[in-house]
Amino acid sequence: MIIFTVLSVIFIVGGLFFFTTATIGLLRFPDFYTRLHATGKGDTLAVFLSLIGIAIYEGITLTGLKILLIALFMFLAQPTATHAISRAGIRSGYKHWTRKDGTK
Amino acid sequence: MVFRKEDIIVSTIARILIPFIQLYALYVIMHGHYSPGGGFQGGVILGASMVLLLLTRGHDEAKYKIPENMVITLSSIGVLIYAGIGFLCILLLGNFLDYSKLAVLLHVDPAHARSLGILGVEIGVGFAVMAVMYSIFLDISTGGVLPEDEEPEEGTEA
């Protein structure tokens, strides 16, 4: 079915786009929390979209079901890990970034 | 800012995920002899689920659910299963870990006995790796001294 292939390519390209934006955020943002903000959200959505695309390409098989389960568990685990890392940053007293002249 | 000792988001998600992690570890161990995986990988995943419980619930609850004595005993039992199957093959006039000799005991043909023998060894390796992983993490995170070991010493000094 050509339409499922096209749909899966659209999903995977969307996933790659969010991977790219998350990486740009990781490289360009100034401090710990803003980088976590970029990668935490961006990578979660990117992994989710990529896995959905692969699952659509695979069709309704056992492998497709396993891929969907991976997507579900990634969707649970990744924001939690981001939350735990940022919380550990705050607890260890890591200061957030401000401009040099003091204005927020 | 005031922080509680355990975070509700992390502990809830860990409570949901730990059974699935352990189920996946059993899957990896059971499929070890004809697909990627096996005793070492499955044991590490099982150990990681126990480390996650220790990280999210703290030592007080973890030492209640997974006592240290049990962990040390389990690591010895894993080595015992592995070596026991190996020496059983020697007793049945084969080489060490020559699983095809187990066919006499299991009442199956030698090829099937080989598969079952590898599965038994993988289970032993899984036990040992899981217990040693958790034991190493416990030693690192406490510096070798568990919290309940410290309290009587402080009491006697004071």
Side-chain angles (χ1 to χ4, degrees), chain B residues 64-143:
Chain B
Y64 187 69
K65 289 199 166 139
I66 314 163
E68 204 186 6
N69 290 336
M70 189 194 81
V71 171
I72 294 166
T73 316
L74 270 183
S75 69
S76 308
I77 286 174
V79 177
L80 186 72
I81 293 172
Y82 177 85
I85 290 175
F87 281 112
L88 196 61
C89 300
I90 292 184
L91 286 179
L92 294 169
L93 306 177
N95 290 321
F96 186 69
L97 293 178
D98 187 359
Y99 309 113
S100 58
K101 303 292 181 203
L102 294 171
V104 185
L105 291 180
L106 297 169
H107 300 296
V108 288
D109 52 319
H112 203 172
R114 224 173 256 282
S115 169
L116 287 173
I118 293 176
L119 181 60
V121 165
E122 300 276 12
I123 290 170
V125 170
F127 268 124
V129 171
M130 170 194 76
V132 171
M133 269 280 295
Y134 185 72
S135 180
I136 289 172
F137 187 82
L138 207 58
D139 284 348
I140 291 173
S141 64
T142 56

Side-chain angles (χ1 to χ4, degrees), chain A residues 47-48 51-52 66-76:
Chain A
V47 168
F48 192 68
L51 287 172
I52 292 290
K66 284 176 189 171
I67 292 167
L68 283 180
L69 278 178
I70 294 172
L72 175 67
F73 288 127
M74 283 298 248
F75 211 64
L76 280 178

Side-chain angles (χ1 to χ4, degrees), chain B residues 9-31:
Chain B
I9 295 174
V10 175
S11 66
T12 308
I13 294 294
R15 196 195 307 152
I16 295 170
L17 283 185
I18 283 171
F20 288 104
I21 295 172
Q22 289 174 340
L23 193 66
Y24 178 66
L26 294 181
Y27 171 79
V28 168
I29 290 176
M30 295 305 283
H31 284 251

Side-chain angles (χ1 to χ4, degrees), chain A residues 20-90:
Chain A
T20 314
T21 52
T23 311
I24 291 170
L26 176 68
L27 292 173
R28 294 289 300 164
F29 276 150
D31 78 334
F32 178 74
Y33 299 110
T34 46
R35 283 173 186 165
L36 261 182
H37 171 75
T39 53
K41 288 186 189 43
D43 272 356
T44 308
L45 189 59
V47 168
F48 192 68
L49 286 178
S50 305
L51 287 172
I52 292 290
I54 295 168
I56 290 172
Y57 187 78
E58 184 65 33
I60 305 170
T61 57
L62 188 61
T63 316
L65 184 68
K66 284 176 189 171
I67 292 167
L68 283 180
L69 278 178
I70 294 172
L72 175 67
F73 288 127
M74 283 298 248
F75 211 64
L76 280 178
Q78 214 159 9
T80 313
T82 310
H83 171 78
I85 294 170
S86 65
R87 197 177 133 89
I90 293 173

